Amino acid sequence: VQLQASGGGLVLPGGSLRLSCVASESIFRTADMGWYRQAPGNVRELVAAISRSGSTGYAASVKGRFTISRDLQKNTVYLQMNNLEPGDTDVYYCNGNGRTQRNEPFDAWGQGTLVTVSS
């Protein structure tokens, strides 16, 4: 399974961005997906997750501002980020963990996409 993340960029404080993560095959019904972020020298932290059943969860720091969703037809997971703050500046990564439709276990990471919130 390969994941392709995109959508990062430079945005003003208070602005919005939407990140996308496209999977190379249909996995969302058999895998849990998550968005993580990491600054240089820091540990990678979970920002938002969506389970194979569609349940969602968020880090306290982004709850109410970020929304994770998925499009099963497009094999894409999104992270809508609103009211962005300078502290949200990080490299964002998508992750998938579960089984493929061939019942093969996998744990895949997309390449990072940089989000910079600055005036």
Side-chain angles (χ1 to χ4, degrees), residues 16-116:
S16 298
L17 280 175
R18 188 177 77 161
L19 306 183
S20 300
C21 176
V22 181
S24 58
E25 54 187 277
S26 180
I27 57 170
F28 295 160
R29 294 196 186 278
T30 55
D32 301 322
M33 304 297 296
W35 284 99
Y36 291 72
R37 64 187 182 187
Q38 184 175 26
N42 289 354
V43 298
R44 193 170 292 186
E45 65 167 343
L46 179 63
V47 173
I50 184 165
S51 74
R52 61 201 70 188
S53 66
S55 299
T56 59
Y58 300 91
S61 58
V62 306
K63 200 168 187 177
R65 300 188 297 121
F66 290 11
T67 302
I68 189 170
S69 62
R70 65 186 184 180
D71 186 326
L72 299 177
Q73 299 300 318
K74 296 182 179 179
N75 292 336
T76 303
V77 173
Y78 302 100
L79 184 66
Q80 178 67 44
M81 305 185 294
N82 298 329
N83 195 20
L84 283 160
E85 303 168 354
D88 296 317
T89 296
D90 267 322
V91 179
Y92 286 71
Y93 300 87
C94 62
N95 171 262
N97 186 313
R99 289 188 173 273
T100 69
Q101 291 190 339
R102 301 174 299 281
N103 202 33
E104 297 167 340
F106 77 93
D107 186 349
W109 290 89
Q111 88 289 4
T113 184
L114 176 62
V115 173
T116 303

